[in-house]
Amino acid sequence: MIFTIAARELRSLFLSPLAWIILAVMTLVFGIVFDISLSAFKQSPVPDGATAAVVPGLYELAMVLLFFIVPMITMRLFSEERRNQSLPLLFSAPVSMTEIVLGKYLGVVAYLMIMVVTLTLMPISMELGTSIDVGLLFANIIGMVLLLGSFTAIGLFMSTLTQVPALAAILAFGALFLLWLLKLPAYWFGENAVSYLSIASHYENFLKGVFSSADVVYYIVVIVLFLAFSVRRLEADRLGG
Amino acid sequence: MTDTVLIDVQELSRYFGNHCAVNNVSFTVNKGEVVGFLGPNGAGKTTTMKMLTGNLAPSTGSVTIAGHDLLDDPRAAKSAIGYLPEQPPLYRELTVNEYLDFCAALNRIPRDQRLAAREAAKEKCGLTKVADRLIANLSKGYQQRVGIAQAIIHMPPVVILDEPTVGLDPIQIREIRLLIRELGKEHSVILSTHILPEVQATCDRVQIINEGQLVLHDSIDGLEHHLQSASLTVAFNKEAPLSELEGIKGIKKVEPQREGRLRLFYEPDQNPVDEIVRRSAENGWGLCELRPGRVSLEEIFLQLTTEDKADDEEAA
């Protein structure tokens, strides 16, 4: 049932030009950056090897772009259904609220995975000329997937709050930006509890190739929390009218 | 028609803040019945239907659909319901086929039966010709039909339609009414509307709701009886003596109407037709018209809905 809803969501995404254009633009930007950093490496090779020179930069750029892109993808999830008044279809079908939320969530995650795959094909292509650091690449990929998962969960929750997609996008962007800002105090006070909560500081470990279970748990907590909030929010709709 | 109760609503109430939208409503619907749900705007029709379909949680009371409590066992109860909300819940970017496939899967129709279910629903709702068109490009009437197709695709025992004929042209309205009658043979149907002839044309039973309360619950036949009783319209070629008419046993009131017609109100169990005809023949009044007066459903509706208001005002 979850997959039925996810498949519908994915299909509707690809029926709008937005999904295609975002994929195209992202691929173009990644391609250009990949090419530039690869050329830079060729001119002045660093001892860590090609993977370390190219991959972290590419994935860090991806994070920055996703700050803007994920809210645009998630904004319509619930707010557009609210505006079109099509939610009763899901609510009166024999599916639970959790299934609805998970279905929509996985639909968007599946779309974003396509982006991760196109992004990852670029460093893999280096295998033609050199040998890549598989461990580092994997850490980056896992980090990206977890990051996307939490961005999507936050965006999905924001779209349950309003019927105006644009508002949902702005709310999601604001929330992501705030979570990122939390790492700023670390510059003055060193690592502390607040900066630990930042969504970006955990990603940096993955960029360095460090796979720490604490970081994984952080992202999973964020995902579960915001999905649970969404379920609660939609239940409240039913209760409060 | 069997007596299986498919919808059992007990003491259902719903508050929005302090405002009571539905107040202590109880009713049952048997298998194979079409029930018309009438009421002025804002009477609580849509709120009640939302509660019946699990889109809104009731403040108090219980809803049992085909033996499953909607709150305790929502999955089983909801799979027995097909619901068309006021605004058909459509995904405009999909084609009719794609949309109905999704609905079939959503309602847990086994994979190998989905195609047959979709084709049957399209056939019933007259959608075969537009199957591959985008829902966004369909006319309002066709969108409404897609909404109905969605509600019946899993052949639920209970079909709930909220104002299904709104915005349709007269031909489409006729077709939809026929479709509803057709549905009523196999499903139980609850249909809300504020178009009164629609109820007379399609329903077995009528429920009138006003200010959140059920004010009338009767079968159409019972209602017909209600409608026919108690008045007659007569006309005479010559001046008939009003006083003599008023003197006939059982007649309560004589009310002159346009073009010399008279409306006679009588006690329900004392029909004075025989007596009037006899006297007219004896006295040469020249009776030229005699028909049972009908109170229209409109009048009953108005009477019930405004009486209530008057009571409220007295109470306040």
Side-chain angles (χ1 to χ4, degrees):
Chain A
M1 196 47 51
I2 293 174
F3 292 107
T4 307
I5 296 173
R8 209 283 308 167
E9 202 56 53
L10 192 60
R11 163 175 266 168
S12 286
L13 262 176
F14 277 112
L15 287 174
S16 78
L18 186 72
W20 292 103
I21 289 172
I22 287 178
L23 267 185
V25 170
M26 289 294 274
T27 312
L28 183 71
V29 171
F30 289 148
I32 292 170
V33 173
F34 174 65
D35 189 53
I36 291 172
S37 44
L38 202 57
S39 314
F41 173 73
K42 271 202 305 208
Q43 275 171 9
S44 51
V46 288
D48 293 347
T51 317
V54 172
V55 169
L58 201 58
Y59 279 78
E60 191 166 17
L61 173 78
M63 178 186 81
V64 175
L65 291 180
L66 286 168
F67 265 114
F68 299 94
I69 282 168
V70 172
M72 274 196 268
I73 299 287
T74 56
M75 67 181 182
R76 352 163 343 277
L77 282 175
F78 282 98
S79 51
E80 199 172 74
E81 291 226 23
R82 264 208 195 151
R83 180 183 270 188
N84 293 342
Q85 304 188 20
S86 52
L87 274 179
L89 180 69
L90 299 174
F91 285 2
S92 46
V95 288
S96 69
M97 213 59 96
T98 315
E99 284 173 312
I100 297 173
V101 168
L102 280 179
K104 286 187 166 276
Y105 176 72
L106 291 181
V108 171
V109 168
Y111 168 76
L112 292 170
M113 284 307 125
I114 298 173
M115 201 182 289
V116 173
V117 168
T118 42
L119 173 64
T120 306
L121 283 177
M122 294 174 195
I124 287 179
S125 71
M126 294 194 301
E127 184 72 24
L128 293 173
T130 170
S131 68
I132 52 176
D133 180 344
V134 178
L136 179 62
L137 185 60
F138 260 106
N140 273 276
I141 295 173
I142 291 169
M144 173 99 303
V145 169
L146 287 169
L147 188 79
L148 277 177
S150 22
F151 279 18
T152 307
I154 292 168
L156 181 131
F157 171 64
M158 294 304 166
S159 96
T160 63
L161 296 179
T162 164
Q163 355 185 328
V164 187
L167 209 54
I170 291 168
L171 283 172
F173 176 69
L176 292 178
F177 193 64
L178 278 178
L179 272 176
W180 177 76
L181 272 186
L182 291 179
K183 78 169 193 171
L184 283 189
Y187 291 120
W188 298 294
F189 311 114
E191 292 289 325
N192 56 34
V194 174
S195 71
Y196 188 78
L197 288 177
S198 166
I199 205 157
S201 48
H202 294 272
Y203 189 54
E204 278 157 11
N205 287 337
F206 286 107
L207 290 178
K208 285 179 229 151
V210 179
F211 181 91
S212 124
S213 42
D215 296 328
V216 176
V217 169
Y218 169 85
Y219 284 117
I220 289 176
V221 167
V222 170
I223 292 170
V224 170
L225 206 62
F226 277 95
L227 290 182
F229 284 163
S230 309
V231 173
R232 294 286 303 184
R233 176 71 190 95
L234 292 170
E235 289 283 359
D237 244 19
R238 239 164 50 84
L239 296 171
Chain B
M1 205 181 285
T2 56
D3 277 355
T4 327
V5 175
L6 282 181
I7 307 174
D8 186 3
V9 175
Q10 290 303 326
E11 295 168 7
L12 199 64
S13 297
R14 171 73 210 200
Y15 291 87
F16 292 107
N18 284 326
H19 172 65
C20 182
V22 172
N23 185 3
N24 204 13
V25 166
S26 303
F27 60 89
T28 59
V29 180
N30 293 336
K31 191 175 176 205
E33 270 185 323
V34 181
V35 175
F37 211 41
L38 283 171
N41 292 329
K45 298 186 299 272
T46 299
T47 307
T48 308
M49 294 192 142
K50 279 186 179 168
M51 286 194 283
L52 291 182
T53 54
N55 279 275
L56 202 61
S59 303
T60 59
S62 72
V63 178
T64 312
I65 307 281
H68 306 285
D69 190 290
L70 189 61
L71 297 176
D72 294 340
D73 191 2
R75 183 165 291 177
K78 282 179 179 177
S79 57
I81 302 176
Y83 175 44
L84 170 70
E86 238 169 330
Q87 176 86 28
L90 307 173
Y91 293 118
R92 300 163 56 83
E93 70 273 19
L94 300 181
T95 67
V96 172
N97 273 344
E98 286 170 339
Y99 173 75
L100 291 178
D101 283 340
F102 173 65
C103 297
L106 202 60
N107 283 299
R108 297 172 191 276
I109 298 177
R111 196 173 288 274
D112 54 334
Q113 293 165 27
R114 280 183 204 161
L115 186 69
R118 181 186 88 190
E119 292 305 316
K122 272 194 319 199
E123 180 72 45
K124 274 191 191 159
C125 300
L127 289 166
T128 320
K129 266 190 267 173
V130 296
D132 290 316
R133 285 179 51 186
L134 285 182
I135 292 175
N137 294 343
L138 295 178
S139 70
K140 174 89 177 82
Y142 271 108
Q143 291 185 353
Q144 192 77 20
R145 291 185 200 203
V146 177
I148 296 177
Q150 161 273 125
I152 62 171
I153 192 163
H154 51 304
M155 299 298 279
V158 176
V159 179
I160 296 177
L161 307 171
D162 199 349
E163 304 199 353
T165 57
V166 151
L168 303 186
D169 70 40
I171 299 167
Q172 290 172 327
I173 289 182
R174 255 177 63 97
E175 286 173 2
I176 298 273
R177 281 183 191 164
L178 275 177
L179 177 64
I180 291 170
R181 280 250 59 113
E182 196 65 28
L183 288 176
K185 288 178 188 160
E186 297 155 43
H187 313 252
S188 292
V189 181
I190 297 186
L191 150 96
S192 93
T193 177
H194 43 235
I195 307 163
L196 302 165
E198 190 161 295
V199 172
Q200 278 167 317
T202 50
C203 301
D204 303 311
R205 275 202 301 145
V206 185
Q207 290 184 155
I208 297 182
I209 189 169
N210 187 40
E211 312 217 324
Q213 281 174 320
L214 218 50
V215 290
L216 180 96
H217 184 96
D218 207 347
S219 68
I220 278 281
D221 293 340
L223 198 69
E224 287 284 308
H225 193 69
H226 224 41
L227 296 179
Q228 277 173 3
S229 59
S231 88
L232 278 175
T233 303
V234 294
F236 301 101
N237 277 332
K238 293 180 189 140
E239 198 76 9
L242 283 183
S243 54
E244 197 161 341
L245 277 174
E246 272 168 347
I248 293 174
K249 187 165 172 286
I251 291 189
K252 285 192 297 192
K253 204 171 92 182
V254 178
E255 203 173 78
Q257 293 195 311
R258 274 179 302 159
E259 295 166 24
R261 290 197 178 86
L262 298 172
R263 189 155 178 194
L264 311 177
F265 295 88
Y266 57 88
E267 301 289 344
D269 46 350
Q270 298 174 324
N271 194 326
V273 169
D274 276 354
E275 187 63 18
I276 292 169
V277 173
R278 198 176 57 79
R279 291 209 193 182
S280 169
E282 274 174 9
N283 305 335
W285 293 341
L287 181 66
C288 64
E289 192 179 324
L290 174 69
R291 59 187 159 92
R294 289 175 57 94
V295 193
S296 67
L297 190 49
E298 250 99 340
E299 280 173 88
I300 290 201
F301 180 70
L302 277 175
Q303 201 187 335
L304 284 168
T305 49
T306 44
E307 235 173 39
D308 236 47
K309 215 163 265 169
D311 285 353
D312 279 359
E313 270 153 29
E314 267 167 41

